[in-house]
Amino acid sequence: MITPRTAGSSAKITRLQFNPQGNKFGASDHDGNLSLWQINQSAAGNKPFLTIKCHDKTLSDFTYVGSSSLLATAGHSHESKNVCLWDTLLPQRKACVQAFSCHDHGSPALVYAPQHQVVISGGKKGDICIFDVRQHTLRHTFQAHDSCVKAISLDPAEEFFVTGSAEGDIKVWALGMHGLMHHFAAEHARSSIFRNIGVGVIQLHVDTEQHLFSCGADGSMKVRRLPQKELVVQTYMSHHDSQGGSTVNAGASQYYTGLR
């Protein structure tokens, strides 16, 4: 057995992630550090090949962004630079290629959508930010919950993403239009019995069959099949011309149909 990180040697680990190729993994901790290891069965594999101080207060979550060298981190830093992009091939002092000022009081969770090449992050005040990793810009932000966003999960087809809050609510959002598709209130509500291990939604996962797995601080785990997706219908407003014929207005409107 190999123990890359022994108990009591460092701060609490907040997230463990493997790269897409499966030959590297990383661990973030409560002190704001990110350590990366190469998969190796030798004793030398115990030591990380890279450790970066990503956030000066805490590092809550991270994800690989399309490769094993580019990462996105979510945490809490001074000047509210709480979501950052890192290129680990660069020297450490230049490794942060973009720092976004967002999410007052920090960001607990984020995911990467490779088909859209965007990072989606959630804030402690319930806001969602969507970043374009190609342009290094904030594409969109909106208020998703009234309390902290504790977990985010992405549909494998990248048609929607799911957020879970400290109040225990779960919401499903269309990725393209950012509209609310479903709202499951108090799925994992605050519990006085389990108050010592956190509150609300702890983790979310969506599989390829659109099953939503969730677990929370109330001690429960739930699995539900999400209703079939709503259709976006394109409609055109028409009017009659002076000859009695019909013309199509160039302006089109969009709306959601009911569930099929």
Side-chain angles (χ1 to χ4, degrees):
M1 183 182 73
I2 296 175
T3 307
R5 187 160 168 158
T6 58
S9 61
S10 302
K12 179 182 72 173
I13 292 178
T14 56
R15 184 68 67 190
L16 178 70
Q17 297 276 15
F18 283 82
N19 70 335
Q21 293 77 27
N23 62 343
K24 297 177 183 178
F25 69 95
S28 58
D29 68 32
H30 198 264
D31 283 347
N33 298 305
L34 176 64
S35 298
L36 302 176
W37 287 266
Q38 185 84 32
I39 300 293
N40 194 328
Q41 295 301 316
S42 68
N46 283 353
K47 296 182 179 180
F49 67 83
L50 181 65
T51 298
I52 305 176
K53 181 75 169 181
C54 295
H55 299 274
D56 56 20
K57 294 184 179 180
T58 188
L59 174 52
S60 301
D61 199 2
F62 75 98
T63 183
Y64 288 91
V65 179
S67 72
S68 59
S69 60
L70 187 63
L71 300 101
T73 61
H76 192 193
S77 295
H78 72 286
E79 299 179 354
S80 295
K81 294 181 178 179
N82 298 324
V83 174
C84 298
L85 296 177
W86 302 84
D87 187 341
T88 60
L89 297 179
L90 296 176
Q92 284 203 33
R93 59 187 179 86
K94 297 182 178 180
C96 183
V97 294
Q98 183 65 50
F100 298 101
S101 295
C102 56
H103 299 306
D104 193 19
H105 299 305
S107 173
L110 85 171
V111 294
Y112 173 58
Q115 295 177 31
H116 291 77
Q117 295 193 38
V118 297
V119 167
I120 306 167
S121 62
K124 286 192 175 181
K125 291 193 172 182
D127 52 325
I128 292 291
C129 291
I130 300 177
F131 302 97
D132 188 323
V133 298
R134 294 169 297 182
Q135 302 297 324
H136 293 183
T137 57
L138 174 63
R139 179 180 293 181
H140 185 65
T141 184
F142 64 95
Q143 192 69 28
H145 296 272
D146 294 329
S147 61
C148 174
V149 178
K150 299 290 293 293
I152 306 176
S153 182
L154 181 68
D155 160 42
E158 294 192 19
E159 295 176 347
F160 61 87
F161 63 97
V162 186
T163 59
S165 75
E167 293 293 334
D169 293 353
I170 294 175
K171 294 183 180 181
V172 182
W173 307 89
L175 182 53
M177 299 179 66
H178 316 131
L180 179 63
M181 298 172 64
H182 310 294
H183 179 194
F184 307 110
E187 281 289 282
H188 299 281
R190 291 177 180 269
S191 171
S192 60
I193 299 175
F194 296 96
R195 62 181 178 274
N196 292 328
I197 60 172
V199 294
V201 180
I202 300 298
Q203 192 169 354
L204 297 166
H205 176 75
V206 181
D207 69 8
T208 56
E209 301 298 322
Q210 295 193 359
H211 292 104
L212 171 61
F213 299 79
S214 66
C215 61
D218 59 353
S220 70
M221 174 181 171
K222 298 181 180 181
V223 184
R224 68 165 3 107
R225 176 70 181 270
L226 291 172
Q228 198 165 4
K229 68 179 181 179
E230 295 175 324
L231 296 176
V232 177
V233 177
Q234 192 85 11
T235 62
Y236 296 88
M237 303 301 294
S238 63
H239 65 272
H240 292 276
D241 60 19
S242 59
Q243 304 300 321
S246 177
T247 60
V248 176
N249 192 328
S253 62
Q254 291 182 326
Y255 64 95
Y256 284 107
T257 68
L259 295 176
R260 291 184 294 171

